[in-house]
Amino acid sequence: MSTGRGPGGTGQRQPPDLGYSEVEQELRANVRALVAARSPQSAVLARTESAEPVDTGLWRALGAELGVTGLAVPEHLGGAGAGWRETAVVLEELGRATAAVPYLGSCVLATAALLAVGDTELLPGVASGERVAALAVPFATAPGAAFPVGVTATGDGLLRGAVGRVADALTADVLLVPALTAEGSPGLWAVRGAAVDPLVSLDMTRPLADLRFDGVPGRLLARGPDALAALDAALTTGAALLAAEQLGVAEWALETTLGYVRTRHQFGRPVGSFQAVKHRLADLWVAVTQLRAVARYAADTVATGSPDAPVAASVAQAFASQVAVTAAEEAVQLHGGIGFTWEHPAHLYLKRAKSASIALGTADRHRARLAGLVDLPYPVQEQQA
Amino acid sequence: MSTAPPAGTPTGTPEYLRAAVQRLLAAHDPAHTPAAEFLGARYDAGLAWIHFPVGSGGLGAPRALQQLVNDEFTAAGAPVLDSGRHGIGLGMAAPTLLAFGDEEIRRRFLRPLWTGEEVWCQLFSEPGAGSDLAALATRAVRDGDHWVVDGQKVWTSLAHEAQWAILVTRTDPNVPKHRGMTYFICDMTAPGVEVRPLRQATGEAEFNEVFLTGVRIPDAHRLGAVGDGWRVATTTLMNERVAIGGHAEPREGGLIGLLAGTWRERPELRTPGLHDALLRLWVDAEAARLTGERLRQQLAAGQPGPEGSAAKLAFARLNQQISGLELELLGEEGLLYDDWTFRRPASPSMLQGTPGYRYLRAKGNSIEGGTSEILRGIIAERVLGLPQEIRVDKDVAWKDLPR
Ligand SMILES: Cc1cc2nc3c(=O)[nH]c(=O)nc-3n(C[C@H](O)[C@H](O)[C@H](O)COP(=O)(O)OP(=O)(O)OC[C@H]3O[C@@H](n4cnc5c(N)ncnc54)[C@H](O)[C@@H]3O)c2cc1C
């Protein structure tokens, strides 16, 4: 950020690639086909009401058949040695399907943290999908947030405390827990065997859970600045890539709505022929088109290790949250009564979009973060008379 | 010419183009060469519009590589034309001349257009035909190897500065409106062309009324077939939208940079509400910038599609919101205006104006080049495939339309 025009410079040294490579297109097609076969939309709602809200069948297939659970992990650690751009493509497809798998938690948040600490022990299992890892922070945590203090570790590595509202923890085999050491410095621990209390979540396809640690043994992965950096890498990567998932949600909402208004007739013509409807969908298309550029940029910056990644991630979350929520809300509205009906999937997308808009930092928090990153400082606090 | 591509060279590769740019820069130091001369040399080297044919300012190279060429020239501090003054020529006339002009036309018009020696304007809108451009009434009647044009155009930007105009006329009133139009190049210095300033909300007269009375245009200055003017005009308009909204910009390159600059320099103006609004717009500007960048990467070789409408729509909204916020941020200073005296700018630019001017001028962004409502309609129908509006005038002869 030292050179270039204005704070944040011109952002990057090399022009970012905002498109999709042929390999990425192929990856998309494979994931889409697999998801359609293993987790058809008709089954998604039923699963949310079942005893097993997470789709372990789809999860296994993503790992064992497609090998996409370790896209961001190097080959020598059991991964595919691809990167975050490819991971983002998978997330787009999972968002399109509101698939109930712990991909964001395990393959993005936890994987980014493990990569940052240079772990070699857990990554192979996480990359193959045989193990699910979860980052034990509240799902609403934004990058740059203060280090969590809810859990502390004793000198002999026993963790005590609680973390609330953690995503993708229900099926996790291993938890990555930011916790304070006995001396009060930050650390990151790998933990098995916490108490997991499922919560009733707004997003029925991504259940949250509360975690309790009652003197559970943990293995220290990193301490001090390394632990802070790992947590920040996880949250920044997560925020950047969540935009891809939000793009998938928004695309589904737009496409499904377009299909509906073309065929639904009222007043003797398709409702999509009314200008009030057409103009709203045109605006939505513009927004989704913009979101694609924003999400691709965010994925590209984390993939290339660009110094602009924190800005890109915050831009992505400030922008994607609003677009995905609008898209889902428009889908509900323009489907009329059927859009408000439990059996129609629109509400699953609305719930996914709205909770994703809070996840990893609300748009407002990301704008506040941008204020610092791009030098648009807060007003000086006025003295209250 | 030393910078012309040697025969048999693969002119479409980045390596070739970079080398060609460097050769040109070596032969014409941009710091010491007058702009028009430099641009002329760039045109002759085929480095103006590289996808244009050899002899027309291009090399027949892939359009995707244009940005690379532009970036190299920018890095070397080479001159570029002022888009306020030459936007219509570069963005709209040039691609239309390329698509529909013969060899003769291209040879006559493209070079002085590129060097900035000749300014162009666009004689499309009329008092009775704006959004519904195909309803226009300006008549062109054939007279031997000439056409005689009578009518009135309006809101014509820079007509007072232009040597040439792209002009759409009605040549057959007896067929439905889209089928009876013909497209011409009009000499703005020809007898019978009268330009009267039309003052706009900003106080200045950037646009004009243009009265055409018995103006004689040679048939050689016709673009496209007689009656095919709508198709030619559509090419112009597609390019217009891309020209307006689809250029690559650095972060904070547009109006947002001015607003952010004021925020940074004037802490006393800051309030929490404005801060939130500023950050929202900063994010939106970044989204628009990245979208333009992605559009460019994607369009690469192809012709501009309706996606340009999206860029133009977003750009208009953004400019209006940013310039509105800028006035609020300035508070008391926002109560003032710089100058209401009547002016006829030679080179309008929002970035050089004052905040009050920017606020007012931005209101034109959602009207000029197709209103935002029309653009939404284009996106809905051509991109999203939604049913067309009911057309009551589609099969009616133009002369029988209610007016
Ligand atoms: C600054 C500026 C510069 C310009 N420069 C030029 C120039 O150089 N050359 C040139 O030829 N023209 C120029 N124009 C004219 C411009 O192209 C027209 O003003 C524009 O196309 C709109 O036409 P109109 O003014 O007749 O508005 P109208 O078409 O009368 O529109 C009035 C309102 O109705 C809405 N409307 C119209 N039809 C529909 C529809 N089907 N659905 C929904 N809403 C609709 C419009 O969006 C608008 O809000 C310029 C305009 C401005 C403001």
Side-chain angles (χ1 to χ4, degrees):
Chain A
M1 295 204 202
S2 51
T3 56
R5 41 179 299 157
T10 45
Q12 64 280 323
R13 298 141 302 182
Q14 258 203 337
D17 178 0
L18 304 180
Y20 300 96
S21 68
E22 254 166 60
V23 173
E24 287 165 349
Q25 301 278 28
E26 202 175 305
L27 174 67
R28 174 194 305 292
N30 291 338
V31 176
R32 191 174 291 186
L34 180 82
V35 171
R38 296 303 171 98
S39 178
Q41 200 155 55
S42 54
V44 173
L45 179 67
R47 172 165 307 282
T48 64
E49 298 176 284
S50 75
E52 217 190 286
V54 175
D55 192 338
T56 44
L58 173 63
W59 175 255
R60 268 191 229 109
L62 286 169
E65 285 174 36
L66 282 190
V68 297
T69 42
L71 282 175
V73 178
E75 282 174 64
H76 72 271
L77 292 172
W84 295 121
R85 290 176 56 88
E86 294 78 359
T87 310
V89 172
V90 177
L91 277 165
E92 281 181 37
E93 291 305 312
L94 296 177
R96 270 182 91 91
T98 53
V101 287
Y103 194 84
L104 182 73
S106 192
C107 306
V108 180
L109 291 168
T111 296
L114 290 171
L115 286 170
V117 301
D119 163 273
T120 53
E121 204 165 306
L122 294 170
L123 271 174
V126 171
S128 69
E130 277 151 41
R131 281 197 193 135
V132 172
L135 183 69
V137 296
F139 196 31
T141 311
F147 192 82
V149 293
V151 184
T152 49
T154 55
D156 46 1
L158 296 181
L159 278 80
R160 277 176 216 286
V163 194
R165 293 157 198 171
V166 177
D168 293 330
L170 272 189
T171 44
D173 309 295
V174 56
L175 298 166
L176 308 184
V177 188
L180 293 178
T181 63
E183 307 85 59
S185 74
L188 186 68
W189 308 73
V191 179
R192 288 166 212 264
V196 180
D197 296 328
L199 298 166
V200 180
S201 313
L202 173 66
D203 180 356
M204 302 162 70
T205 56
R206 183 148 51 205
L208 304 179
D210 284 344
L211 305 177
R212 271 182 301 105
F213 305 90
D214 305 318
V216 188
R219 182 167 66 82
L220 187 64
L221 295 170
R223 71 162 84 233
D226 290 346
L228 292 175
L231 181 62
D232 197 57
L235 294 172
T236 300
T237 307
L241 293 204
L242 179 59
E245 198 197 277
Q246 289 166 304
L247 171 62
V249 168
E251 279 190 334
W252 178 89
L254 175 61
E255 281 169 26
T256 304
T257 307
L258 282 168
Y260 185 71
V261 300
R262 274 192 214 117
T263 49
R264 170 74 171 171
H265 279 64
Q266 295 290 335
F267 303 96
R269 50 193 265 212
V271 294
S273 70
F274 294 104
Q275 199 178 72
V277 172
K278 287 164 78 171
H279 283 193
R280 278 165 67 168
L281 287 169
D283 280 338
L284 188 55
W285 177 79
V286 172
V288 173
T289 303
Q290 293 191 315
L291 172 52
R292 190 172 301 113
V294 166
R296 275 326 260 167
Y297 181 59
D300 194 73
T301 57
V302 289
T304 58
S306 160
D308 204 40
V311 171
S314 280
V315 166
Q317 276 316 299
F319 195 77
S321 297
Q322 169 239 319
V323 175
V325 169
T326 305
E329 288 176 349
E330 289 287 78
V332 170
Q333 176 65 22
L334 294 176
H335 276 79
I338 199 162
F340 199 63
T341 304
W342 184 259
E343 280 73 27
H344 193 279
H347 66 93
L348 294 175
Y349 290 82
L350 180 65
K351 293 162 187 174
R352 173 65 72 89
K354 193 66 192 178
S355 71
S357 78
I358 298 164
L360 300 171
T362 59
D364 187 51
R365 286 208 179 277
H366 282 281
R367 284 192 294 268
R369 184 164 156 76
L370 276 174
L373 292 171
V374 302
D375 184 30
L376 294 170
Y378 271 95
V380 181
Q381 208 64 50
E382 278 175 35
Q383 293 294 309
Q384 296 295 328
Chain B
M1 171 121 286
S2 64
T3 46
T9 316
T11 57
T13 63
E15 298 71 38
Y16 174 84
L17 291 167
R18 272 198 201 96
V21 172
Q22 293 313 323
R23 274 202 302 278
L24 182 73
L25 288 167
H28 306 268
D29 177 4
H32 301 106
T33 312
E37 190 186 322
F38 183 91
L39 290 167
R42 183 172 164 184
Y43 182 94
D44 297 335
L47 295 169
W49 304 279
I50 58 163
H51 64 289
F52 279 30
V54 174
S56 298
L59 294 166
R63 194 176 176 147
L65 297 173
Q66 181 75 45
Q67 190 64 34
L68 177 154
V69 169
N70 293 353
D71 290 347
E72 296 267 313
F73 279 118
T74 308
V80 279
L81 287 185
D82 166 3
S83 64
R85 186 168 171 82
H86 300 285
I88 290 174
L90 293 170
M92 294 147 73
T96 312
L97 293 169
L98 174 72
F100 292 94
D102 55 19
E103 181 69 49
E104 176 75 25
I105 296 248
R106 289 192 221 143
R107 203 152 26 83
R108 164 63 189 85
F109 290 109
L110 285 175
R111 195 176 188 279
L113 185 159
W114 171 260
T115 61
E117 286 154 83
E118 291 179 349
V119 175
W120 285 70
C121 69
Q122 178 194 19
L123 294 171
F124 279 25
S125 303
E126 299 184 5
S131 300
D132 187 8
L133 176 61
L136 58 82
T138 292
R139 287 291 305 270
V141 178
R142 191 153 193 156
D143 178 20
D145 58 0
H146 276 71
W147 294 79
V148 180
V149 179
D150 287 278
Q152 185 198 339
K153 297 286 176 177
V154 73
W155 307 306
T156 315
S157 304
L158 288 183
H160 55 285
E161 292 285 323
Q163 282 81 42
W164 296 98
I166 41 179
L167 165 70
V168 210
T169 65
R170 180 148 318 277
T171 42
D172 187 353
N174 299 309
V175 295
K177 59 181 182 179
H178 287 96
R179 283 190 253 143
M181 299 160 72
T182 303
Y183 196 115
F184 295 100
I185 296 166
C186 176
D187 181 352
M188 292 298 286
T189 64
V193 177
E194 190 200 339
V195 177
R196 290 188 205 156
L198 188 57
R199 218 170 166 199
Q200 58 210 41
T202 56
E204 65 181 6
E206 168 189 336
F207 56 34
N208 303 269
E209 294 179 294
V210 178
F211 296 85
L212 303 163
T213 317
V215 179
R216 293 181 66 78
I217 297 180
D219 188 54
H221 285 180
R222 173 167 49 80
L223 293 179
V226 175
D228 203 24
W230 180 248
R231 195 161 67 93
V232 188
T234 306
T235 301
T236 308
L237 294 176
M238 291 261 214
N239 280 289
E240 172 170 33
R241 279 150 207 162
V242 173
I244 289 178
H247 36 75
E249 266 186 353
R251 176 173 290 166
E252 292 195 5
L255 289 192
I256 192 70
L258 298 174
L259 179 60
T262 307
W263 183 271
R264 288 180 191 121
E265 285 152 27
R266 310 276 305 270
E268 76 280 7
L269 300 175
R270 299 174 193 159
T271 67
L274 292 174
H275 190 236
D276 186 55
L278 167 68
L279 287 165
R280 282 171 194 269
L281 288 176
W282 197 92
V283 169
D284 286 351
E286 186 66 1
R289 180 182 78 81
L290 291 168
T291 308
E293 178 69 32
R294 183 161 198 275
L295 180 69
R296 240 181 15 78
Q297 291 181 4
Q298 213 184 4
L299 266 180
Q303 281 292 312
E307 290 83 2
S309 297
K312 203 234 161 204
L313 198 55
F315 164 87
R317 186 167 39 207
L318 202 54
N319 274 359
Q320 292 175 353
Q321 291 176 341
I322 293 171
S323 60
L325 185 64
E326 190 180 18
L327 275 198
E328 273 182 68
L329 174 62
L330 288 171
E332 215 169 75
E333 286 164 52
L335 295 172
L336 304 176
Y337 195 68
D338 56 324
D339 187 5
W340 288 119
T341 54
F342 179 87
R343 286 162 292 147
R344 293 181 92 181
S347 152
S349 163
M350 285 241 269
L351 287 171
Q352 283 155 27
T354 58
Y357 174 82
R358 280 196 280 280
Y359 172 72
L360 295 173
R361 183 61 185 82
K363 294 293 169 279
N365 290 160
S366 53
I367 300 172
E368 61 195 330
T371 67
S372 293
E373 290 76 21
I374 293 297
L375 299 186
R376 286 190 185 96
I378 289 175
I379 291 169
E381 291 179 8
R382 299 209 206 133
V383 182
L384 305 181
L386 292 173
Q388 296 211 332
E389 289 303 308
I390 292 164
R391 301 263 150 85
V392 293
D393 55 358
K394 217 169 140 190
D395 303 312
V396 183
W398 177 81
K399 66 173 170 33
D400 299 328
L401 289 174
R403 255 183 291 277

